[in-house]
């Protein structure tokens, strides 16, 4: 985790001297908890003036949000980001953008969120995790490269993977989510995929084994000219 934190700290320092940088693309999940904890610890060591400049210029868009959960719900991704990034760094709520999971019309909210991102210039550097079935964001398989931001039905495996936050009961995980599509992800200037743990070894190998495949949404990353892959020894099958 130190290597990617080093890289992102460097990315954020560059933003201090960049005119109108494109928004950051952020993700959630158990792997990201470790990343945000380490990154926040690093940023809190910055000088007061540099940290204030970072705060004042911060703008980020998250990949996704559960449908049916308000931003104050304990298991919403909005609450996740507030607890792990916004509050520790003193960021304002309006600086961290997420889809509105409580919107009355999720399909319209997905289109609104996509338009909001485009008006902000699109993603600069996008952080990604890898789902056990090969999804990125909540782009469940099968999924084409041109899939836009939309409301999606979550498959049983994904709900099981996320059950820990809901008392270990997969049926308590919302059945739908709003997610940025593969189209918005591939439009980012740079992509960073973090894969950790022995449970991801097989899917990681499959994603990069046979080229782009709609049954493995993460394989569309092979089309992008600037992808950084951050993998620990366990995910590589070395321990």
């Amino acid at each position: 985790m130190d290597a990617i934190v080093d890289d992102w700290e460097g990315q954020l320092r560059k933003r201090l001297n960049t005119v109108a940088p494109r928004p950051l693309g952020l993700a959630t999940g158990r792997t990201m908890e470790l990343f945000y904890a380490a990154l926040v610890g690093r940023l809190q060591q910055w000088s007061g003036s540099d940290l204030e400049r970072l705060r004042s210029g911060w703008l980020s868009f998250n990949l996704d949000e559960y449908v049916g959960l308000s931003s104050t719900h304990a298991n919403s991704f909005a609450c996740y980001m507030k607890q792990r990034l916004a509050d520790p760094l003193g960021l304002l709520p309006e600086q961290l953008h997420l889809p509105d999971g409580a919107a009355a019309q999720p399909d319209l909210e997905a289109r609104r969120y996509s338009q909001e991102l485009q008006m902000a210039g699109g993603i600069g550097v996008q952080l990604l995790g890898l789902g056990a079935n090969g999804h990125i964001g909540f782009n469940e398989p099968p999924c084409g490269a041109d899939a836009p931001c939309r409301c999606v039905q979550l498959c049983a495996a994904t709900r099981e993977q996320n059950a820990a936050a809901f008392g270990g009961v997969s049926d308590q995980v919302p059945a739908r989510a709003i997610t940025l599509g593969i189209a918005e992800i591939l439009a980012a200037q740079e992509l960073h995929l973090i894969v950790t743990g022995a449970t991801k070894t097989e899917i990681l190998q499959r994603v990069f084994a046979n080229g782009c495949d709609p049954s493995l949404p993460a394989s569309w990353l092979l089309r992008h000219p600037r992808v950084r892959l951050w993998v620990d020894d366990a995910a590589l099958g070395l321990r």
Side-chain angles (χ1 to χ4, degrees), residues 92-176:
L92 299 174
E94 56 266 29
Q95 293 180 289
L96 283 80
H97 295 253
L98 295 95
D100 180 4
Q105 299 184 66
D107 291 322
L108 290 180
E109 170 59 14
R111 289 197 286 273
R112 182 206 67 78
Y113 189 61
S114 178
Q115 291 169 359
E116 182 180 36
L117 173 58
Q118 301 315 313
M119 289 179 64
I123 298 296
V125 183
Q126 176 67 61
L127 187 66
L128 297 164
L130 178 64
N133 63 357
H135 71 232
I136 48 175
F138 272 136
N139 291 282
E140 301 279 34
C143 182
D146 59 350
C149 182
R150 66 207 183 283
C151 180
V152 297
Q153 195 79 19
L154 300 181
C155 72
T158 296
R159 295 176 76 192
E160 183 65 34
Q161 185 180 350
N162 289 277
F166 294 83
V169 182
S170 61
D171 287 348
Q172 296 299 312
V173 179
R176 296 187 298 162

Side-chain angles (χ1 to χ4, degrees), residues 59-127:
L59 181 62
S60 60
F61 283 77
N62 265 66
L63 283 168
D64 40 39
E65 180 60 282
Y66 289 120
V67 168
L69 300 190
S70 71
S71 61
T72 58
H73 191 286
N75 289 328
S76 71
F77 294 141
C79 188
Y80 175 110
M81 296 305 299
K82 181 178 187 297
Q83 292 174 349
R84 291 168 176 81
L85 196 67
D87 285 352
L89 292 181
L91 301 173
L92 299 174
E94 56 266 29
Q95 293 180 289
L96 283 80
H97 295 253
L98 295 95
D100 180 4
Q105 299 184 66
D107 291 322
L108 290 180
E109 170 59 14
R111 289 197 286 273
R112 182 206 67 78
Y113 189 61
S114 178
Q115 291 169 359
E116 182 180 36
L117 173 58
Q118 301 315 313
M119 289 179 64
I123 298 296
V125 183
Q126 176 67 61
L127 187 66

Side-chain angles (χ1 to χ4, degrees), residues 1-2 4-5 8 12 24-44 58 60-64 77-89 91 96-98 125-129 192 194:
M1 196 61 70
D2 286 347
I4 187 171
V5 172
W8 271 64
L12 294 174
L24 297 166
L26 301 182
T28 55
R30 282 169 288 184
T31 298
M32 302 307 164
E33 289 181 23
L34 300 174
F35 170 74
Y36 291 130
L39 182 64
V40 165
R42 193 76 63 82
L43 296 177
Q44 288 175 335
W58 188 278
S60 60
F61 283 77
N62 265 66
L63 283 168
D64 40 39
F77 294 141
C79 188
Y80 175 110
M81 296 305 299
K82 181 178 187 297
Q83 292 174 349
R84 291 168 176 81
L85 196 67
D87 285 352
L89 292 181
L91 301 173
L96 283 80
H97 295 253
L98 295 95
V125 183
Q126 176 67 61
L127 187 66
L128 297 164
H192 289 237
I194 305 178

Side-chain angles (χ1 to χ4, degrees), residues 7-8 11-12 14-15 18-26 59 63 117-118 120-128 180-193 221 223-228:
D7 187 274
W8 271 64
Q11 299 264 9
L12 294 174
K14 289 179 184 177
R15 291 174 69 86
T18 302
V19 178
R22 288 170 67 170
L24 297 166
L26 301 182
L59 181 62
L63 283 168
L117 173 58
Q118 301 315 313
I123 298 296
V125 183
Q126 176 67 61
L127 187 66
L128 297 164
L180 290 181
I182 301 296
E184 286 91 359
I185 291 171
L186 292 182
Q189 292 175 319
E190 187 171 323
L191 306 175
H192 289 237
L193 179 64
L221 300 183
R223 284 191 173 183
H224 199 281
R226 296 190 68 187
V227 179
R228 302 286 298 278

